[in-house]
Amino acid sequence: MIRFDHVIKRFRRNQVLKGIDLEIQRGQRVALVGSNGAGKTTLIRCLLGEYHCEGEVRIDGLDPRAHRREVLSRIGFVPQLPPPLRMPVGQLIGFAASLCGSDPARIILVAGQLGFDATGFHHQPFVKLSGGQKQKLLIAIALGRDAELLVMDEPAANLDPEARHILFKLLAEKQDDAAMLISSHRLDEVAALVNRVVEMDQGRIVLDDEVADTVDLSSRLACRVRMTRAEDAFARALGAWGFAAEADDPLSWRGHVPGPDRLRFLGMLSRYAALLAGLEMREETDDGDNKDAA
């Protein structure tokens, strides 16, 4: 599916990619991780054909620069930073759909599932949307097509917990038919989404390993958190996850966590370990019942 063969990228005297060799097949969900400046975004831009580079980059045997339109029609791409487009939302959806022969209604449907009413913002310039609205629309454009390759740079940034859960469910629907390359500077953000981890450092691949593939991407956990005492910072952190205090016990908070976000949620809780009196996490089943998760 994807092949990088001794790829080198220089910006004047600065060598950003230093001989990258990498292959990714369909069905593989790859976390591309590393600190800022490791070369992740440059590698993605070489994959998308945005940069000239030394060595070879191939997607199903095609050079992404020489066959740019054909290659991009197969890729669903979510950038880390939304482009400053002044195009109205409706026009953007129509343009994106035309590039890959997709139905604009599919993009509008996915946007609605994520919580963004694209029809209601039909005439609104993209650049004037909020950060979360932009992210939801970009994800809808990427997933509202029959993409063979999904390339996502910090895809869940700016998403509320419910939208993250829907995103993970949408990815679960495509996990057997598409290859996924998910870039992040933190492994805990994407660990449960992937079955392979590629770590970059200073333009080189320093780790390439398969990981356990046991988390149901569409799962969700029902959680109850109890504090030792009232604390505004902890309450705000829980509120950001959509949790609410119980009416008869303000020290107990309930909410839901997307299954793939469990590590990220536990990382947040670890910052308030001294205030944590109890934690219950139960995985919800399709029939609404719960089973123990932690």
Side-chain angles (χ1 to χ4, degrees), residues 45-272:
R45 289 183 174 177
C46 290
L47 176 65
L48 298 175
E50 295 180 11
Y51 287 161
H52 287 286
C53 59
E54 301 174 44
E56 285 189 347
V57 181
R58 294 291 183 268
I59 299 176
D60 281 342
L62 299 177
D63 184 328
R65 288 194 64 84
H67 303 87
R68 187 166 175 76
R69 185 179 180 88
E70 183 177 353
V71 166
L72 290 181
S73 70
R74 304 181 182 190
I75 297 176
F77 175 53
V78 181
Q80 180 181 9
L81 298 175
L85 299 174
R86 297 191 176 277
M87 188 182 297
V89 166
Q91 185 179 345
L92 175 59
I93 290 174
F95 174 73
S98 69
L99 291 178
C100 59
S102 182
D103 184 352
R106 289 182 60 188
I107 296 175
I108 293 172
L109 176 62
V110 174
Q113 290 176 301
L114 291 165
F116 175 64
D117 179 11
T119 303
F121 287 86
H122 185 81
H123 299 292
Q124 180 86 345
F126 176 81
V127 73
K128 292 188 177 182
L129 299 177
S130 69
Q133 290 170 334
K134 291 176 183 176
Q135 192 74 357
K136 291 173 182 178
L137 181 54
L138 291 173
I139 291 171
I141 289 172
L143 299 184
R145 60 167 78 181
D146 296 322
E148 301 173 20
L149 170 62
L150 295 174
V151 180
M152 296 168 282
D153 199 347
E154 306 281 2
N158 297 316
L159 294 185
D160 55 86
E162 181 60 26
R164 289 175 71 95
H165 175 57
I166 298 300
L167 168 61
F168 300 150
K169 289 180 66 175
L170 292 170
L171 292 180
E173 294 173 2
K174 293 180 176 288
Q175 64 184 20
D176 295 328
D177 302 320
M180 301 184 193
L181 183 63
I182 306 173
S183 176
S184 179
H185 67 285
R186 290 179 53 181
L187 181 57
D188 65 345
E189 290 278 345
V190 296
L193 295 176
V194 302
N195 52 25
R196 181 178 172 191
V197 175
V198 173
E199 182 178 357
M200 294 186 66
D201 185 38
Q202 298 183 15
R204 302 182 189 275
I205 292 177
V206 296
L207 174 70
D208 185 352
D209 200 7
E210 294 183 356
V211 297
D213 188 16
T214 57
V215 175
D216 179 357
L217 297 185
S218 62
S219 65
R220 184 153 67 171
L221 306 173
C223 302
R224 181 174 185 263
V225 176
R226 180 167 174 77
M227 304 178 184
T228 57
R229 66 174 190 275
E231 173 59 51
D232 288 344
F234 196 5
R236 286 195 300 270
L238 288 170
W241 280 84
F243 278 57
E246 295 180 358
D248 58 348
D249 184 359
L251 295 181
S252 293
W253 290 62
R254 290 186 182 271
H256 293 85
V257 175
D261 261 347
R262 70 185 74 196
L263 181 58
R264 181 170 169 265
F265 180 70
L266 291 173
M268 182 278 291
L269 290 182
S270 70
R271 300 199 300 268
Y272 303 97

Side-chain angles (χ1 to χ4, degrees), residues 8-54:
I8 296 173
K9 178 60 184 174
R10 294 183 175 89
F11 294 98
R12 296 184 178 180
R13 296 182 181 181
N14 183 24
Q15 189 174 8
V16 179
L17 300 180
K18 304 173 182 178
I20 299 295
D21 293 308
L22 180 66
E23 290 191 15
I24 300 172
Q25 304 299 328
R26 279 180 178 79
Q28 290 188 321
R29 304 189 305 277
V30 180
L32 182 65
V33 299
S35 60
N36 291 331
K40 305 185 302 297
T41 299
T42 300
L43 188 70
I44 288 175
R45 289 183 174 177
C46 290
L47 176 65
L48 298 175
E50 295 180 11
Y51 287 161
H52 287 286
C53 59
E54 301 174 44

